[in-house]
Amino acid sequence: MHPLKHKKSFLKLIIYTFIISLLFVLLFVGFVGCPEKTFIQGNIIDFVTKLPLKGARVVIKSERSAEIKTIYTDERGKYNVTIEGGGYYYITVWVPSSHILYTPAERYEYLERGQSYTFDFHLFRGAVVNIKGDCYFLEDPDPTFGYRFTVLDAETGNILSLDQYCPYYGDWGINSRLGISNRLIIIPAWFNISLFIEALGRGVYQSFKIEKSISLQNGEHIELDITNKSLAKNLVILRNLIEKTSYLLEYLKNRGFYLHAEEEDLKVAINWLENSKSELYEGKYAECYADMRQSYLIATNISEKLKLMQIDAGSSTYFITFFTFIVSLILSHFIFEKESFKKIFSIIFYGALLIIMFFAYPGYNLIDPLVFLIQVFLMMLIVFIAMESFKYIFRERGKEERISTKEATGITFSLAKRNLKRRRLDCIIMIVSLSVLIASFIDLTSISTGHGLSVYKNPQVFSYNEGIFIRPHLGGNPLSFIPVSKEFINSLSQYSELIDTIAPKSENQPVRVDKPLGFLIDPNSGNNITVLGVLGILPEEESKATRLNETVIFGKYLCNDDTDAV
């Protein structure tokens, strides 16, 4: 064979082999890479008439992925769908547009890849409850993040258990899968049901039950306001807080604490509580919440202060017990020279001083008697060990004729004691003076301080009005300004005889220095002025509160509708 023909035949063989191999590879990849499909079918009927429902919407939604498939039933109420892969799925069925209102049905199933399933549904006749109003939190004035509404059996109080009926609605319920408002609840018609409300805020949670039984006809629609129930729940929480705070205050007072300022503050909190009760009864929900919030802040502040005071007083007894024994030892060493007398009378002085302190210092009334006895013997043991260690460390180590540290200390104490004996009147006066000073210090530091608003005039401030700037406590929040709630502003507007002007301000969150909102250019120097945040207020309101318009000496003061000025 000619060499050129042999070469061409060999080249064709290589090309054919490559093409066949590539086809095998593509077939294999297609066979392995293509996932097995899962087939779902079923029938949807009316629970009452047992007739098929045409146009019922079936939504297949994967729990972990964004896979959603929506199909509708045919004239016979049948549906079928093919989905990719497997896993846990929500199968939600509802008739969105019909002259008869039905409740939705839902199943939560694990579907294996490549399998076929049949899921039949029967839908109950339904009615609608539209939730109005909002839940309020005493701990945080910010709006609620979300709600969950649970349908309960009014007779048993348990979650309504109907075949394939989903009793969970709201932001964490079936609403998103139905495509309806998170405030709508579709309940079975002619059933006696009640509702369990759950609200979630920023680190706070509230729940309550609507005790009133609800029974509606098919297609009926009602609105239910939960504001009253939420405020009533807060009222119970606030009342319990004030009762606990009152009990703690009386408990500490009976043990010798001077709590006049806290008593007066608690009376103010109780007054706000009584106001909120009447406002709740009258339907003034915004004013009721503002008063309850004010009462809660005062009561919480008192409660935390009392608890801290109780902890400090109880823990301070350890130091006082130790200090008392040290004083007893010093007194016995000053008065007596014999070693046996020193030890005996140090115990006697210790016991006498402890009895005085037990009745004079309130902290000892807060601890258990057994804990007190353990303190006494523990401090004695610590001091005696320290004294013996001191003697061992500074013992005489040689026979050199010199004065040891122990002897020098003894001589010093002995000379001081004899000097005091010669001048007994001066000694008594000094001891009494020191006792009075110590007692005065303890009394002054044990009395709780009152608190209020200090006002002074600053002649450099250009303003004819006296005003006050109110905002919530920042509490470590990186925001430089947190606006007060609308309810609080509304409550302030009631005191028109005391408050002349209310000028709410708004401020955005300051940004990073390296990412400013923008720049202002100085026309004289050409330098850029970095803008990190904006504080906004209506110019007319600003002029009422600060008389800022009177400071303008060139140009004109801003108007509310100015859009091209800062």
Side-chain angles (χ1 to χ4, degrees), residues 86-99:
Y88 284 98
Y89 283 81
Y90 289 100
I91 307 170
T92 309
V93 177
W94 190 42
V95 183
S97 57
S98 173
H99 64 284

Side-chain angles (χ1 to χ4, degrees), residues 129 150-155 160 165 185 187-188 190-195 210-216:
V129 177
T150 306
V151 181
L152 307 178
D153 189 330
E155 297 180 359
L160 185 63
Y165 173 72
I185 305 173
I187 64 173
W190 307 298
F191 279 83
N192 290 323
I193 63 101
S194 59
L195 296 175
I210 305 294
E211 300 292 346
K212 182 181 178 181
S213 177
I214 302 173
S215 180
L216 303 179

Side-chain angles (χ1 to χ4, degrees), residues 75-368:
E75 293 82 357
R76 297 175 297 169
K78 294 182 178 295
Y79 72 94
N80 60 79
V81 63
T82 302
I83 61 174
E84 306 289 343
Y88 284 98
Y89 283 81
Y90 289 100
I91 307 170
T92 309
V93 177
W94 190 42
V95 183
S97 57
S98 173
H99 64 284
I100 299 176
L101 180 62
Y102 290 94
T103 61
E106 187 172 65
R107 298 183 66 155
Y108 180 65
E109 301 286 347
Y110 180 78
L111 307 180
E112 292 187 8
R113 182 178 297 175
Q115 300 296 319
S116 298
Y117 296 92
T118 300
F119 298 119
D120 296 328
F121 294 89
H122 50 262
L123 304 186
F124 297 91
R125 304 292 177 92
V128 176
V129 177
N130 188 11
I131 301 297
K132 295 291 185 180
D134 289 293
C135 288
Y136 293 91
F137 303 103
L138 288 174
E139 301 87 350
D140 188 1
D142 286 350
T144 304
F145 287 165
Y147 295 91
R148 185 168 83 162
F149 312 113
T150 306
V151 181
L152 307 178
D153 189 330
E155 297 180 359
T156 63
N158 300 324
I159 297 175
L160 185 63
S161 179
L162 292 177
D163 187 24
Q164 300 174 346
Y165 173 72
C166 178
Y168 303 108
Y169 289 82
D171 296 277
W172 296 284
I174 197 176
N175 299 59
S176 61
R177 297 186 289 278
L178 296 178
I180 62 175
S181 168
N182 291 339
R183 292 300 190 97
L184 292 181
I185 305 173
I186 304 176
I187 64 173
W190 307 298
F191 279 83
N192 290 323
I193 63 101
S194 59
L195 296 175
F196 184 70
I197 313 296
E198 296 173 277
L200 182 66
R202 186 178 61 182
V204 290
Y205 169 82
Q206 186 184 88
S207 64
F208 53 88
K209 181 181 177 183
I210 305 294
E211 300 292 346
K212 182 181 178 181
S213 177
I214 302 173
S215 180
L216 303 179
Q217 302 295 319
N218 179 223
E220 191 175 354
H221 180 282
I222 66 168
E223 292 184 349
L224 182 64
D225 196 331
I226 61 175
T227 306
N228 184 289
K229 195 70 178 180
S230 173
L231 292 175
K233 174 80 172 183
N234 287 330
L235 201 61
V236 174
I237 297 173
L238 180 58
R239 187 186 299 114
N240 293 336
L241 173 63
I242 290 179
E243 288 178 357
K244 291 180 180 178
T245 305
S246 301
Y247 174 80
L248 180 59
L249 189 143
E250 290 298 324
Y251 173 78
L252 295 178
K253 272 185 62 180
N254 295 333
R255 277 151 182 77
F257 286 80
Y258 184 73
L259 303 170
H260 178 71
E262 284 73 15
E263 275 188 304
E264 295 301 317
D265 287 346
L266 192 58
K267 290 178 183 178
V268 175
I270 294 173
N271 185 41
W272 284 111
L273 173 63
E274 296 301 325
N275 289 344
S276 64
K277 285 182 183 178
S278 59
E279 289 163 346
L280 179 61
Y281 179 76
E282 296 170 3
K284 299 178 180 179
Y285 295 146
E287 295 82 356
C288 173
Y289 174 70
D291 289 351
M292 275 198 288
R293 173 76 177 162
Q294 185 73 13
S295 177
Y296 173 80
L297 292 175
I298 296 173
T300 303
N301 181 48
I302 298 171
S303 178
E304 292 177 354
K305 194 187 298 185
L306 293 178
K307 290 177 181 177
L308 184 62
M309 195 181 299
Q310 185 180 12
I311 294 172
D312 290 343
S315 58
S316 64
T317 56
Y318 290 92
F319 302 100
I320 294 176
T321 305
F322 176 78
F323 177 73
T324 303
F325 190 55
I326 296 295
V327 171
S328 303
L329 284 174
I330 294 173
L331 284 176
S332 63
H333 280 71
F334 264 127
I335 298 173
F336 303 100
E337 295 185 358
K338 289 186 177 181
E339 197 67 29
S340 58
F341 281 8
K342 292 179 182 179
K343 292 181 179 179
I344 293 173
F345 278 93
S346 65
I347 303 297
I348 295 175
F349 290 155
Y350 186 40
L353 290 175
L354 280 178
I355 292 173
I356 295 173
M357 293 300 298
F358 185 82
F359 290 101
Y361 185 64
Y364 284 105
N365 295 322
L366 300 176
I367 62 176
D368 188 83

Side-chain angles (χ1 to χ4, degrees), residues 327-537:
V327 171
S328 303
L329 284 174
I330 294 173
L331 284 176
S332 63
H333 280 71
F334 264 127
I335 298 173
F336 303 100
E337 295 185 358
K338 289 186 177 181
E339 197 67 29
S340 58
F341 281 8
K342 292 179 182 179
K343 292 181 179 179
I344 293 173
F345 278 93
S346 65
I347 303 297
I348 295 175
F349 290 155
Y350 186 40
L353 290 175
L354 280 178
I355 292 173
I356 295 173
M357 293 300 298
F358 185 82
F359 290 101
Y361 185 64
Y364 284 105
N365 295 322
L366 300 176
I367 62 176
D368 188 83
L370 180 60
V371 176
F372 174 67
L373 293 176
I374 293 175
Q375 280 187 18
V376 171
F377 290 106
L378 183 62
M379 296 307 164
M380 290 175 61
L381 180 63
I382 291 174
V383 173
F384 278 128
I385 291 176
M387 289 178 62
E388 293 301 321
S389 301
F390 182 80
K391 291 178 182 178
Y392 176 78
I393 293 172
F394 296 101
R395 72 185 187 276
E396 296 183 21
R397 301 181 182 276
K399 296 183 179 180
E400 298 179 3
E401 294 184 358
R402 60 183 180 84
I403 300 177
S404 64
T405 306
K406 176 182 176 182
E407 291 175 346
T409 306
I411 292 170
T412 304
F413 271 89
S414 179
L415 290 174
K417 179 183 66 177
R418 291 173 182 175
N419 189 33
L420 288 175
K421 283 184 176 181
R422 293 192 190 103
R423 300 179 180 181
R424 292 185 179 181
L425 181 60
D426 293 343
C427 178
I428 293 172
I429 293 174
M430 182 186 66
I431 293 174
V432 171
S433 301
L434 288 174
S435 302
V436 171
L437 287 173
I438 294 172
S440 301
F441 174 77
I442 293 174
D443 287 340
L444 291 175
T445 54
S446 299
I447 296 174
S448 62
T449 57
H451 51 83
L453 181 67
S454 299
V455 180
Y456 65 94
K457 292 185 177 181
N458 188 346
Q460 297 178 355
V461 177
F462 185 84
S463 176
Y464 299 127
N465 292 356
E466 291 185 358
I468 180 172
F469 176 56
I470 302 174
R471 69 177 180 184
H473 177 60
L474 297 182
N477 195 302
L479 299 179
S480 65
F481 174 76
I482 304 176
V484 295
S485 63
K486 182 180 179 181
E487 292 77 12
F488 183 73
I489 296 174
N490 292 336
S491 66
L492 285 178
S493 62
Q494 300 177 5
Y495 304 98
S496 57
E497 69 280 1
L498 300 176
I499 301 175
D500 179 63
T501 303
I502 300 175
K505 296 186 178 183
S506 60
E507 183 182 88
N508 66 324
Q509 181 177 355
V511 297
R512 290 170 49 184
V513 178
D514 57 340
K515 294 183 179 180
L517 296 176
F519 299 93
L520 294 177
I521 301 176
D522 187 347
N524 297 323
S525 64
N527 296 329
N528 291 336
I529 302 173
T530 304
V531 179
L532 300 179
V534 178
L535 175 67
I537 184 172

